[in-house]
């Protein structure tokens, strides 16, 4: 397919899509929807701006706050599409349920989201390199103004957007975390709630002070099984197989992970989703064969890991340009940018 040259014509003025810091610049609008008296009101597209909240706002005190991360792309033919928005909104409903918050009507919110992205589509450039996209952040927060420890009776759904580019620009150095815990069975690790991120900051900060980019969490009860990496799921490619941990309810069910696993299956690559003991990974790393380890997430997309520290010893994993992880990344990008057939109907077009 021939690539249309969009350059910066028709795009947000005064914004340099080739050089920017993620998460600092909002687009012009946001979606707002409010819940009170047992029901959600209508979705409204409003100018992006500050919120007027009481300091008593329940969500600020007791953590009833869930969010999602979705991306929109401009395809090579110029159309804008959102990647798997229903799957993300359905996952948000699982998060809402677990946090005792009211679920949303996915189709209603999807219609609002479509309108929001169509309204702000000058913020979605076509850039075939660096994964430049529009990052969409839906968030639901408890807004009842009351200090008592209780389930809120009022909520606000906000959807805001910001441009995003390749998040990790070089292979990562990670540490296998066997002391601190992100999530335990029976807890909230599988949902996208704010506390999962806040609680991970301190161990990640300590690891960063030791020169690591991220930690890989292990299971809370035995610290033996690999879980996820906080900002992304993890996967291993070894011996022609793509392997990724099953974390039960302590690992976020990644939409990007689900997509790359499906693409691997589509291309006849063997996929295993099962518990992975770190000792199994150690065996691969100590052997003389090639092992690829990488993160997978909406923001991270596919993030190669070049070094992993396990029990104080640093091991290297393969990040050479012919790695399978780059193949996965390019299959995904071909679909999102409309360079190949979207056999699974993952692209949701807004125009
Ligand atoms: C995402 O990949 O969408 C995330 O939510 C990860 C993180 C930046 C919060």
């Amino acid at each position: 397919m021939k690539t249309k040259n969009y350059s910066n014509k028709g795009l947000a003025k005064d914004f340099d899509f080739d050089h920017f810091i993620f998460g600092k610049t909002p687009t012009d609008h946001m979606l707002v929807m409010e819940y009170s008296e047992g029901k959600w009101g209508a979705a409204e597209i409003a100018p992006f701006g500050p919120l007027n909240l009481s300091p008593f706002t329940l969500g600020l005190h007791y953590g009833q706050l869930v969010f999602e991360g979705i991306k929109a792309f401009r395809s090579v033919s110029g159309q804008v599409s959102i990647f798997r928005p229903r799957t993300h909104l359905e996952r948000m409903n699982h998060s809402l349920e677990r946090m005792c918050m009211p679920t949303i009507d996915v189709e209603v919110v999807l219609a609002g989201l479509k309108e929001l992205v169509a309204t702000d589509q000058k913020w979605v450039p076509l850039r075939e390199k660096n994964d430049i996209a529009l990052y969409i952040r839906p968030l639901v927060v408890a807004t009842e103004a009351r200090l008592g420890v209780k389930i809120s009776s009022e909520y606000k759904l906000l959807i805001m957007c910001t441009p995003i580019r390749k998040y990790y620009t070089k292979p990562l150095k990670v540490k296998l975390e066997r002391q601190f815990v992100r999530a335990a069975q029976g807890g909230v690790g599988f949902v996208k709630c704010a506390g999962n991120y806040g609680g991970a900051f301190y161990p990640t900060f300590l690891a960063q002070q030791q020169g690591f980019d991220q930690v890989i969490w292990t299971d809370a009860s035995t610290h033996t099984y690999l879980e996820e990496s906080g900002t992304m799921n993890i996967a291993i490619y070894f011996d022609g197989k793509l392997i990724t941990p099953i974390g039960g309810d302590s690992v976020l069910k990644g939409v990007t992970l689900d997509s790359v696993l499906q693409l691997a299956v589509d291309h006849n690559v063997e996929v295993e989703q099962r518990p992975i003991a770190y000792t199994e990974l150690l065996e691969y790393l100590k052997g003389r064969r090639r092992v690829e380890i990488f993160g997978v997430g909406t923001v991270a997309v596919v993030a190669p890991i070049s070094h992993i520290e396990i029990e104080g010893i640093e091991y290297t994993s393969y990040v050479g340009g012919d790695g399978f992880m780059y193949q996965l990344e390019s299959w995904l990008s071909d679909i999102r940018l409309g360079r190949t057939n979207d056999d699974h109907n993952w692209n949701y077009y807004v125009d």
Side-chain angles (χ1 to χ4, degrees), residues 136 191 292:
I136 301 164
V191 310
E292 295 176 35

Side-chain angles (χ1 to χ4, degrees), residues 22 67-71 88 91 135-137 164 167-168 192 197 230-232 252 256 296-301:
F22 170 60
F67 67 94
E68 266 302 317
I70 312 178
K71 273 181 174 171
H88 280 283
R91 185 174 70 175
Y135 184 72
I136 301 164
R137 169 58 61 84
I164 187 167
Y167 195 65
Y168 294 115
K192 220 164 165 59
Y197 294 81
T231 52
M232 53 197 183
L252 187 76
T256 310
V296 185
T298 299
V299 162
V301 193

Side-chain angles (χ1 to χ4, degrees), residues 38-52:
K39 56 180 192 312
W40 284 104
E44 268 178 45
I45 309 286
F48 181 92
L51 304 175
N52 183 6

Side-chain angles (χ1 to χ4, degrees), residues 216 226-228 232-238 241-245 257 260-261 272 276 281 291-296 303 305 325 328:
I216 292 188
L226 309 184
E227 297 223 308
E228 61 160 271
M232 53 197 183
N233 294 110
I234 50 164
I236 296 169
Y237 183 69
F238 180 73
K241 276 188 215 159
L242 183 60
I243 317 168
T244 186
L257 178 68
V260 300
L261 296 182
E272 289 180 2
I276 309 171
L281 178 60
V291 49
E292 295 176 35
I293 312 174
F294 50 100
V296 185
I305 292 172
M325 58 193 150
L328 284 174

Side-chain angles (χ1 to χ4, degrees), residues 298-315:
T298 299
V299 162
V301 193
V302 170
I305 292 172
S306 56
H307 294 79
I308 177 163
E309 193 207 79
I310 304 178
E311 296 180 316
I313 301 177
E314 189 168 288
Y315 299 88

Side-chain angles (χ1 to χ4, degrees), residues 28-280:
D28 303 311
H29 297 90
M30 61 183 184
L31 179 146
V32 185
M33 201 168 112
E34 290 187 356
Y35 179 96
S36 65
E37 293 173 6
K39 56 180 192 312
W40 284 104
E44 268 178 45
I45 309 286
F48 181 92
L51 304 175
N52 183 6
L53 291 176
S54 160
F56 274 18
T57 297
L58 275 174
L60 300 178
H61 297 264
Y62 308 119
Q64 270 189 307
L65 193 156
V66 309
F67 67 94
E68 266 302 317
I70 312 178
K71 273 181 174 171
F73 297 84
R74 190 176 294 274
S75 76
V76 289
S77 62
Q79 282 177 290
V80 174
S81 66
I82 310 172
F83 189 70
R84 304 190 69 179
R86 279 196 181 86
T87 313
H88 280 283
L89 294 176
E90 279 156 11
R91 185 174 70 175
M92 190 159 89
N93 268 344
H94 294 305
S95 300
L96 289 167
E97 254 170 32
R98 178 62 181 83
M99 298 302 288
C100 220
M101 298 164 77
T103 55
I104 49 152
D105 182 325
V106 168
E107 294 309 315
V108 168
V109 174
L110 184 57
L113 172 58
K114 179 177 175 179
E115 194 185 329
L116 176 68
V117 175
T119 306
D120 277 356
Q121 63 169 288
K122 65 179 184 187
W123 288 91
V124 197
L126 168 59
R127 291 287 189 286
E128 293 193 56
K129 284 200 182 125
N130 290 331
D131 265 310
I132 296 187
L134 186 72
Y135 184 72
I136 301 164
R137 169 58 61 84
L139 174 143
V140 184
V141 58
T143 48
E144 184 183 342
R146 185 154 150 194
L147 275 192
V149 183
K150 70 180 285 284
I151 300 165
S152 180
S153 62
E154 290 166 19
Y155 298 86
K156 218 183 246 299
L157 163 75
L158 302 166
I159 307 185
M160 58 212 98
C161 307
T162 184
I164 187 167
R165 66 205 316 269
K166 213 172 183 49
Y167 195 65
Y168 294 115
T169 49
K170 59 179 181 41
L172 304 177
K173 197 172 155 181
V174 301
K175 175 187 173 180
L176 189 77
E177 181 58 66
R178 301 194 64 225
Q179 181 196 350
F180 292 103
V181 167
R182 173 185 174 273
Q185 291 297 316
V188 294
F190 70 103
V191 310
K192 220 164 165 59
C193 65
N196 283 343
Y197 294 81
F201 283 164
Y202 181 63
T204 309
F205 167 74
L206 293 182
Q208 283 168 349
Q209 282 194 322
Q210 295 161 17
F212 299 100
D213 297 297
Q214 273 295 334
V215 299
I216 292 188
W217 300 101
T218 49
D219 69 285
S221 46
T222 68
H223 284 299
T224 301
Y225 294 96
L226 309 184
E227 297 223 308
E228 61 160 271
S229 181
T231 52
M232 53 197 183
N233 294 110
I234 50 164
I236 296 169
Y237 183 69
F238 180 73
D239 207 14
K241 276 188 215 159
L242 183 60
I243 317 168
T244 186
I246 284 191
D249 52 13
S250 56
V251 173
L252 187 76
K253 294 186 181 22
V255 178
T256 310
L257 178 68
D258 180 72
S259 310
V260 300
L261 296 182
Q262 182 61 56
L263 290 173
V265 170
D266 292 351
H267 290 85
N268 301 316
V269 174
E270 204 177 320
V271 170
E272 289 180 2
Q273 261 191 298
R274 58 171 172 80
I276 309 171
Y278 78 93
T279 45
E280 175 184 344

